[in-house]
Amino acid sequence: MRFKIRTKLITAFLAIIFPFIVLVGVVAIYKQNTIIMGIVTISDMIEERDAVAKLQIAFDRVIMSGNDYIITAGDKRYIDDFQKGSENVERLLESAEAILGKMEREPLYQIKEKREMLKDAKVSWRNIKEISLKIFEIPNPADNKDAARLVEEMDYKWAYPAIESLNKWNKISYEEFWGAVMGMGREWRRAWVIMIAGA
């Protein structure tokens, strides 16, 4: 008789508490998954910001080769510098394209605007490359008015607007990054509240 009452009490207790434990467990696992996805999102954002910053620097460096070629009256070393810089810019443009493709699954990002900025950067790069190659064809560029005009066009029409556009992209990414970090903090606090309440 005593055994039956104890069994009934234990069964009744487990019947009440078991669904609650399952519910808290499911919610905790969901929150944990949300936090993991948040970490992946923040990691993607860091990768994006790094790629855009490197692309800005690469644009700035690559235009200096043409300028230095003129200043040094046709020093051929700057042609090699330009070739190396050119390969770096193209690699970074491809990297930015791949990162945007990876990030399209997230509604948090302003992908359309960033795609436009990347498209503009690619157009600017094609023009910078074309103008730079024209500059390098000039045998004595130091006092050449065409060389000066080409450098001015390269710098002010194509390079600086592209760098400014990439700077804007970086600012957008910065705001998205901190929005994601704040959201992650909220999810983390909620997960702790659920675990403590469940305990």
Side-chain angles (χ1 to χ4, degrees), residues 22-35:
V22 169
L23 179 66
V24 169
V26 167
V27 172
I29 289 169
Y30 172 76
K31 287 294 177 189
Q32 182 183 13
N33 189 46
T34 304
I35 290 168

Side-chain angles (χ1 to χ4, degrees), residues 157-172:
K157 186 175 180 183
W158 300 110
Y160 295 142
I163 291 168
E164 188 55 41
S165 178
L166 291 169
N167 191 41
K168 184 180 174 188
W169 180 348
N170 220 347
K171 286 177 183 173
I172 291 168

Side-chain angles (χ1 to χ4, degrees), residues 11 48 86 159 175:
T11 306
E48 175 198 16
S86 176
E175 290 168 10

Side-chain angles (χ1 to χ4, degrees), residues 20 42 44 51 56 70 74 93 99 107 109 123 148 157 166 173 199:
F20 179 72
I42 289 171
D44 289 346
Q56 280 180 280
I70 292 171
L93 285 169
I99 290 166
Y109 308 117
V123 169
K157 186 175 180 183
L166 291 169
S173 296

Side-chain angles (χ1 to χ4, degrees), residues 30-154:
Y30 172 76
K31 287 294 177 189
Q32 182 183 13
N33 189 46
T34 304
I35 290 168
I36 289 168
M37 291 308 294
I39 291 168
V40 169
T41 299
I42 289 171
S43 174
D44 289 346
M45 289 177 163
I46 291 169
E47 186 181 0
E48 175 198 16
R49 293 195 67 221
D50 183 55
V52 173
K54 284 179 180 175
L55 192 54
Q56 280 180 280
I57 293 167
F59 263 94
D60 206 27
R61 282 187 180 163
V62 82
I63 63 171
M64 291 310 296
S65 298
N67 293 332
D68 292 341
Y69 178 77
I70 292 171
I71 292 167
T72 59
D75 188 339
K76 302 290 184 196
R77 285 181 303 171
Y78 294 107
I79 297 173
D80 294 335
D81 286 350
F82 176 78
Q83 292 301 330
K84 289 175 188 168
S86 176
E87 289 169 11
N88 188 37
V89 168
E90 287 171 7
R91 183 181 51 77
L92 288 168
L93 285 169
E94 287 174 13
S95 174
E97 180 81 41
I99 290 166
L100 284 182
K102 190 165 64 168
M103 296 174 87
E104 279 181 325
R105 63 178 163 25
E106 289 289 332
L108 185 64
Y109 308 117
Q110 299 175 30
I111 294 294
K112 188 176 180 185
E113 190 174 355
K114 292 175 184 179
R115 282 227 176 266
E116 284 299 315
M117 291 175 188
L118 183 60
K119 183 181 170 187
D120 292 345
K122 286 179 176 181
V123 169
S124 293
W125 170 241
R126 280 194 298 272
N127 286 293
I128 290 167
K129 190 172 184 179
E130 184 181 313
I131 292 168
S132 293
L133 293 174
K134 287 179 184 175
I135 291 169
F136 294 136
E137 288 174 1
I138 299 170
N140 189 8
D143 293 324
N144 190 306
K145 289 183 181 179
D146 286 336
R149 181 186 53 77
L150 286 169
V151 163
E152 190 173 322
E153 181 184 351
M154 177 178 68

